[in-house]
Every structure is written in structure tokens, then in C-alpha cells.
């Protein structure tokens, strides 16, 4: 049986969510941690945009989009029903993930690296992020997690980006008017799946012994 290979970078939010979903699914996967500035030829050969995460399923199939990797993993095995009955949580998560991955991530990058975007201030870029934070905070007033009283695919897809946002100016985030969002973030940080995804590993080199999720 072919064992899929995940090429990943520990701090990348896209990689974190893919890693969490694969670990949760209990699918046997080989983990190869790589450096973004020196991607191995194995990634370049199968990733159209030369990015991670990249999941090589077999010699004929690979995935280079973290959301696709998450859905693939949960369709392999979904022990706690993160997808929901008839994939209802996946369908509800789709527009939220699109908003996160496009406009929020663009604003987050400008906030995190404000010195690279001197057209506006760091505070301005943070403000552009806040509409998404406000929307999540409202959702979390209805349920313990984004779509329900338990974790779903939506929480795992969104959480790594909110974590990244919170780390830019932790003092500001801790004092921000989003207490429910802050509590949710703490819950997600304490999950076993995040702990596994954020473990530090040596960079993979060809010939290394396999490391499994």
C-alpha cells in the first residue's frame, strides 16, 4: 500500500491545518519538514506553485491546497464527525474558509509585515483584519465552536490564522474586545492535534529514515 507523504513547514498556518486534519484522521502519513527557501525537488516536481503543504498520495496523485488536503483526510476517516451529517459543516465552512484565505490572509500579511507595506500604518492593517475577527466573535457567542458545540472542520481550518494574528501583537490581542474569540483560541491551542502539528522536527533530507504522523 502506498503511504502518502506530507511536505510541510511547521509555522505555516496552511500546513498546520493540513497536519491537524491528517493526524486526526489517523491516516498513516510520512511527514517531511522542509524549508520554504529551499524546497526539495520532490515538492517542485508535484506542486504547481512550489508551495507547502504538499501531499503526495501516490505517483499519480498529489494535492497542494491545504483545504483539499483537509477534506481528503476527513473523507478517509472522520471519527468525531468534523464534516457533519451529509457534510453539512464542510458546506457551511466553505465561504468562511474562502474569506479567511483571501481577504483576511492578505490583510494579515500586511499587518504582520507592515514595514513592507509603508502605504499604511500597522494599525490600519490591523483594523482591516478586525471585521473578520468581529464576525467570528459573533459566531462564537452562539456556539462553543464556530459551527456547533464541538470542533468541526471550520475551526481547524480557521484557527491557525487567528493564532498567527494574535502573535503579531499579543498584548493588543489579549486586551482586544473579542473575549469569546480569545477563549476559543485557547481551546484550539490546547488540542492534541495542534500539539502534534506544532512539534519541532529536523529538516528532511533525502535518505532520512521515515517519520510518521
Amino acid at each position: 500500500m502506498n503511504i502518502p507523504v506530507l511536505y510541510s513547514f511547521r509555522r505555516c498556518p496552511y500546513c498546520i491545518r493540513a497536519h491537524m486534519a491528517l493526524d486526526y484522521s489517523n491516516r498513516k502519513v510520512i511527514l517531511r519538514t522542509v524549508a520554504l527557501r529551499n524546497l526539495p525537488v520532490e515538492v517542485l516536481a508535484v506542486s504547481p506553485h512550489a508551495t507547502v503543504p504538499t501531499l503526495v498520495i501516490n505517483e499519480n496523485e498529489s494535492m497542494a491546497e491545504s483545504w483539499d488536503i483537509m477534506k481528503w483526510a476527513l473523507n478517509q476517516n472522520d471519527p468525531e464527525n468534523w464534516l457533519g451529517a451529509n457534510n453539512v459543516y464542510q458546506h457551511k465552512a466553505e465561504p468562511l474558509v474562502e474569506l479567511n484565505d483571501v481577504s483576511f490572509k492578505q490583510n494579515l500579511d500586511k499587518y504582520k509585515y507592515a514595514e513592507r507595506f509603508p502605504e499604511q500604518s500597522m494599525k490600519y492593517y490591523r483594523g482591516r483584519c478586525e471585521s473578520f475577527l468581529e464576525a467570528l466573535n459573533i459566531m462564537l457567542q452562539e456556539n462553543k465552536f464556530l459551527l456547533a458545540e464541538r470542533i468541526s472542520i471550520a475551526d481547524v481550518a480557521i484557527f491557525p490564522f487567528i493564532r498567527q494574528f494574535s502573535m503579531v501583537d499579543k498584548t493588543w490581542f489579549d486586551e482586544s474586545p473579542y473575549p469569546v474569540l480569545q477563549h476559543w483560541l485557547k481551546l484550539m491551542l490546547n488540542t492534541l492535534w495542534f500539539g502534534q502539528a506544532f512539534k519541532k522536527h529536523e529538516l528532511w533530507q533525502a535518505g532520512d529514515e521515515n517519520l510518521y504522523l
Side-chain angles (χ1 to χ4, degrees):
M1 182 181 74
N2 287 312
I3 301 176
V5 178
L6 176 68
Y7 293 92
S8 184
F9 176 67
R10 175 173 168 264
R11 295 194 303 275
C12 167
Y14 296 102
C15 293
I16 290 172
R17 71 183 184 189
H19 190 147
M20 288 177 70
L22 287 164
D23 187 62
Y24 157 80
S25 74
N26 292 316
R27 182 68 157 85
K28 190 173 185 179
V29 174
I30 297 168
L31 174 65
R32 293 178 177 173
T33 300
V34 297
L36 296 180
R37 294 183 179 180
N38 188 26
L39 292 174
V41 294
E42 289 83 355
V43 175
L44 300 177
V46 296
S47 176
H49 304 296
T51 58
V52 289
T54 292
L55 180 70
V56 180
I57 299 171
N58 54 52
E59 61 182 14
N60 298 314
E61 185 179 6
S62 62
M63 294 181 178
E65 296 291 339
S66 60
W67 180 237
D68 291 338
I69 294 172
M70 291 186 72
K71 291 184 289 185
W72 179 87
L74 270 59
N75 278 298
Q76 300 292 304
N77 186 34
D78 186 7
E80 296 183 18
N81 202 20
W82 284 6
L83 292 172
N86 299 315
N87 290 352
V88 63
Y89 293 150
Q90 176 188 320
H91 298 319
K92 287 185 176 182
E94 295 274 3
L96 196 63
V97 170
E98 183 177 2
L99 186 61
N100 176 84
D101 290 6
V102 181
S103 61
F104 179 71
K105 184 60 166 67
Q106 290 172 355
N107 289 319
L108 171 56
D109 286 345
K110 290 180 178 180
Y111 173 47
K112 185 178 180 182
Y113 304 109
E115 69 280 359
R116 301 180 189 175
F117 303 95
E119 299 83 2
Q120 300 290 346
S121 67
M122 183 179 181
K123 182 178 179 180
Y124 172 85
Y125 295 127
R126 183 175 66 208
R128 294 293 297 268
C129 293
E130 284 195 73
S131 60
F132 189 61
L133 302 186
E134 290 169 359
L136 297 180
N137 200 66
I138 291 171
M139 293 177 70
L140 290 164
Q141 290 172 5
E142 299 293 325
N143 298 296
K144 186 176 181 180
F145 294 94
L146 289 174
L147 300 180
E149 290 300 306
R150 57 183 178 82
I151 290 177
S152 74
I153 190 172
D155 300 282
V156 180
I158 302 299
F159 145 73
F161 299 85
I162 304 304
R163 173 193 169 274
Q164 190 175 71
F165 175 91
S166 74
M167 299 299 291
V168 177
D169 185 342
K170 194 170 185 309
T171 299
W172 181 90
F173 183 79
D174 290 345
E175 296 174 354
S176 68
Y178 309 113
V180 189
L181 182 65
Q182 294 162 4
H183 177 67
W184 169 82
L185 178 60
K186 290 177 182 176
L187 292 177
M188 296 302 298
L189 287 169
N190 287 326
T191 61
L192 174 64
W193 306 292
F194 174 67
Q196 290 294 106
F198 212 61
K199 277 185 178 178
K200 193 168 185 177
H201 300 288
E202 295 295 324
L203 294 180
W204 174 79
Q205 294 182 343
D208 284 353
E209 184 177 345
N210 285 337
L211 174 67
Y212 297 95
L213 294 186

